[in-house]
Amino acid sequence: MTRRVPLTIGQDIHSTDLTEACPRKVLLRHEQKVEPVATTALFRGVLAGKCLEYLHAGLSSEQLCNGVVGIANEVVSELAAEGRIPSDAVEKNLEQICRTVCFVATQYEKQLMPLLGQCKLIGTELACRLTLGDIEFASHMDLVFRDTNNALGYGPNRLIIADWKFRQSVPTKAYLARYHQFYLYWLMAMQGSVQAYPEVDGWIDYKENAQMLWIHLPNLEPYKRKTTRHDDEGNLREYAKGEDRPISSILRDVNYKVECASQMCHDLTERVNMMRAGFFPKIADTVGCTVCDAREFCTRADTVELLENQ
């Protein structure tokens, strides 16, 4: 169905506009038809990101856990500035959310910081931008660093862009190979600009083939039962209950090819042009529709009152 066009020439396109599984949600968000509520998943993800920023800034996980309530209050204030308030579930389960995030931060320090600590930190939550024709893209990168010692094995001095993810489903290689958010970040390093504070006080055009990393935070939790899987050396082995998962299950990589850059640009601009043309198909999902913050405004075939939103 053709819709009125919320995305106009000159309007910045954010990575969330490209990665929503349901384009209709993008439309409703731009029309500000979303519930001003921060769900448990959103709040936990933002709190985890904020804690990991502090961890990379030099705080220990012990210090983070001692001050996690104060950090949670920071998140509440930041969400309030965006017009969102924590849901009733967040308020009810705040103590458990803080415990979960503290555990993740402790495991992150234990398992990943020995590797990441060998690298040169460029920054966290870095603004980035890219122009493709008349389309302006803007976003933020969770973590950017340079692997000066080849600690992660992608090559010495490799620029690495990592994204912290607190979702349950683990991405496959096939998914990451088509993931528009990573397309955008990779192209921003290759053809765009990154505000690389504190490394520099300004924008940098890296013009580099960056290594993309999905950091799957739920897999920092040890195995809950005896499990057999491949370790980091590729050998099949048995892991005991309570044993840490291999690093390869936490760091999920994808190696984009420079030769594919034009196709990546095409895929991103095609998505934007579809939205500029006013096409926002509704794609129902058993889980997504239940937790969607635009669900109260989205048309459905059993509620006549919502037809005004078509």
Side-chain angles (χ1 to χ4, degrees):
M1 178 179 293
T2 301
R3 310 283 300 189
R4 57 194 177 88
V5 184
L7 304 185
T8 58
I9 294 176
Q11 180 178 358
D12 283 352
I13 306 300
H14 194 270
S15 58
T16 53
D17 296 326
L18 303 171
T19 57
E20 289 290 358
C22 179
R24 184 63 58 84
K25 182 177 179 180
V26 177
L27 171 70
L28 293 173
R29 183 171 60 237
H30 278 272
E31 291 181 341
Q32 297 183 333
K33 292 179 178 179
V34 293
E35 294 178 320
V37 173
T39 63
T40 298
L42 173 63
F43 189 89
R44 183 185 58 202
V46 175
L47 179 59
K50 179 71 70 175
C51 286
L52 295 181
E53 284 187 56
Y54 280 124
L55 196 64
H56 279 280
L59 266 66
S60 68
S61 59
E62 182 179 3
Q63 290 172 308
L64 284 174
C65 293
N66 289 336
V68 69
V69 174
I71 299 173
N73 289 333
E74 287 182 35
V75 172
V76 171
S77 298
E78 290 179 3
L79 291 172
E82 299 173 1
R84 290 177 178 266
I85 59 173
S87 67
D88 291 341
V90 170
E91 294 183 351
K92 179 181 178 180
N93 300 302
L94 184 58
E95 185 176 337
Q96 177 59 47
I97 294 171
C98 287
R99 281 200 301 268
T100 298
V101 170
C102 280
F103 182 79
V104 165
T106 300
Q107 287 292 105
Y108 189 101
E109 181 182 53
K110 172 187 174 183
Q111 288 192 264
L112 299 186
M113 288 305 285
L115 288 173
L116 301 181
Q118 299 179 53
C119 305
K120 179 183 178 183
L121 175 67
I122 293 176
T124 57
E125 193 63 16
L126 300 183
C128 45
R129 61 192 183 190
L130 172 71
T131 300
L132 295 177
D134 63 358
I135 304 173
E136 300 287 339
F137 296 91
S139 192
H140 288 81
M141 298 174 177
D142 284 348
L143 174 65
V144 183
F145 57 95
R146 194 172 291 282
D147 192 356
T148 49
N149 297 312
N150 196 26
L152 275 67
Y154 299 113
N157 218 36
R158 185 78 182 272
L159 181 68
I160 298 181
I161 300 171
D163 208 48
W164 297 313
K165 297 294 188 182
F166 216 135
R167 62 180 67 173
Q168 292 305 312
S169 56
V170 180
T172 62
K173 286 284 188 181
Y175 177 81
L176 291 179
R178 301 174 174 87
Y179 187 42
H180 282 182
Q181 184 179 17
F182 274 19
Y183 277 20
L184 186 60
Y185 291 164
W186 186 86
L187 287 167
M188 284 169 163
M190 178 65 74
Q191 303 177 15
S193 303
V194 179
Q195 196 170 30
Y197 181 83
E199 183 181 61
V200 297
D201 188 14
W203 295 86
I204 291 182
D205 299 342
Y206 282 107
K207 300 187 184 303
E208 294 184 43
N209 178 0
Q211 173 64 50
M212 303 303 304
L213 274 185
W214 171 302
I215 302 181
H216 199 71
L217 299 179
N219 277 2
L220 286 164
E221 182 179 4
Y223 286 114
K224 295 181 179 179
R225 59 181 180 273
K226 186 170 64 175
T227 303
T228 300
R229 66 151 293 156
H230 291 93
D231 60 20
D232 290 326
E233 284 68 47
N235 301 313
L236 196 64
R237 57 155 291 193
E238 185 178 278
Y239 287 86
K241 177 182 177 180
E243 193 171 357
D244 289 336
R245 301 170 192 251
I247 299 297
S248 57
S249 73
I250 303 167
L251 303 182
R252 315 289 291 189
D253 61 19
V254 59
N255 298 300
Y256 295 138
K257 306 301 182 184
V258 174
E259 294 82 359
C260 297
S262 60
Q263 181 61 49
M264 296 164 75
C265 291
H266 171 78
D267 288 352
L268 295 184
T269 56
E270 183 179 52
R271 180 72 176 253
V272 175
N273 288 333
M274 179 187 76
M275 293 187 288
R276 282 182 173 177
F279 293 100
F280 294 86
K282 178 168 46 186
I283 302 176
D285 179 81
T286 52
V287 176
C289 290
T290 303
V291 300
C292 179
D293 55 4
R295 64 187 180 278
E296 298 300 325
F297 304 92
C298 187
T299 55
R300 47 190 292 172
D302 62 353
T303 308
V304 176
E305 290 78 7
L306 290 175
L307 291 179
E308 67 183 37
N309 289 321
Q310 65 181 337

